[in-house]
Amino acid sequence: MLSPDEIEQMLALHRLYLDTEYHEGHRANFASVDLTGRDFSGLNLRGIKMDRAVLRGADFTGAHLQSANFIGAMLQEARFDKADLSRARLSGANLVSASFEDARLAKAEMEFAVMANAVLRGACLREADMSGALLDFGALTRADLRKANLRGAVLRDARLDEADLQGARLGGAFLAGASLREADLRGAYLRLARLEGADLSDANLEDAEGLTPAQLDRAHLNTGTRLPESLKGTENAKR
């Protein structure tokens, strides 16, 4: 536990560290500190260390968190709407019911993060590593997931309508019951992905790799679903 004055002093020294291009002050390290419910909205916290910190319900709305460290942090119901977490490290973090609406998470490291019920609508997750992440019931409508690594991720009943998944790696991902209406999956890798009950209405799967008729037999397609040339027969049969 840190007192409010100690927290403010550490944040002030971090601002000085950034403002002087690392010549004065020092990088704040809140590893394992309890910061439950604290308001960090709009702050410049680039590179801050918060590994294993307790940040339940904390507010990071609009904060600058590029290359910040949140490995193993407890971030249930935290708010990151419109925040910039490019290249941030969130591996193994507990992000249940956290909100990242319109946030930037390009190239973020989120392996095995627990993100059930997380809100990522409109978020930029381009080239993010979300392998093994748990995203059950997650809201990823219109999210930018181009070239994201979702290998082995669990997206049961997640909402990915209109999401951009071009070139995404979804090998072994669990997408049972997920909604992918109008999603762009061109060039995505889907070998062994579980698609039972997944809604692929109007989705674009042209040039998708590793996709088989058996996978599509368990999914919902419509006349607007676009499949690779090798699977056009399956497409017609499903209709």
Side-chain angles (χ1 to χ4, degrees), residues 10-238:
M10 289 174 69
L11 291 173
L13 288 170
H14 188 80
R15 286 194 297 272
L16 181 62
Y17 174 73
L18 296 175
D19 290 344
T20 62
E21 297 184 350
Y22 321 136
H23 294 299
E24 297 179 44
H26 57 78
R27 183 181 181 186
N29 187 348
F30 289 104
S32 302
V33 174
D34 189 342
L35 298 164
T36 299
R38 188 169 180 88
D39 185 0
F40 296 98
S41 58
L43 298 183
N44 186 353
L45 302 170
R46 286 186 293 115
I48 200 164
K49 295 181 179 180
M50 291 186 163
D51 300 321
R52 303 175 305 283
V54 180
L55 290 153
R56 295 185 186 91
D59 189 354
F60 292 93
T61 302
H64 299 274
L65 291 156
Q66 299 94 324
S67 300
N69 285 2
F70 289 99
I71 296 170
M74 306 296 286
L75 287 153
Q76 300 96 314
E77 299 182 1
R79 299 191 65 84
F80 291 93
D81 301 334
K82 299 184 187 322
D84 191 342
L85 293 114
S86 302
R87 298 182 183 275
R89 303 176 69 191
L90 296 128
S91 304
N94 188 331
L95 293 156
V96 172
S97 299
S99 180
F100 293 87
E101 193 152 7
D102 296 319
R104 185 168 180 80
L105 290 140
K107 298 185 178 181
E109 298 176 16
M110 307 168 76
E111 311 99 294
F112 301 103
V114 181
M115 303 180 72
N117 295 302
V119 177
L120 293 135
R121 283 189 293 266
C124 176
L125 294 143
R126 195 181 304 183
E127 297 184 57
D129 187 353
M130 305 170 78
S131 53
L134 178 63
L135 286 148
D136 284 351
F137 304 100
L140 294 103
T141 306
R142 299 184 306 281
D144 182 354
L145 290 148
R146 281 176 282 180
K147 296 186 178 180
N149 181 5
L150 288 152
R151 189 174 68 176
V154 181
L155 292 136
R156 183 187 293 107
D157 295 311
R159 298 180 297 283
L160 291 138
D161 302 323
E162 300 178 59
D164 191 342
L165 288 145
Q166 292 182 70
R169 295 160 61 189
L170 289 152
F174 195 88
L175 288 153
S179 181
L180 292 137
R181 299 175 67 89
E182 298 184 57
D184 192 342
L185 289 140
R186 285 176 292 173
Y189 183 76
L190 289 152
R191 185 173 182 272
L192 300 179
R194 300 286 296 275
L195 298 171
E196 292 89 340
D199 189 350
L200 293 165
S201 300
D202 300 311
N204 191 342
L205 290 133
E206 292 179 343
D207 301 318
E209 300 179 27
L211 197 58
T212 66
Q215 288 170 289
L216 294 175
D217 283 343
R218 299 180 178 92
H220 298 298
L221 313 181
N222 71 348
T223 55
T225 305
R226 300 167 68 180
L227 298 179
E229 284 294 328
S230 61
L231 294 170
K232 287 295 176 69
T234 303
E235 181 182 32
N236 294 331
K238 286 286 289 183

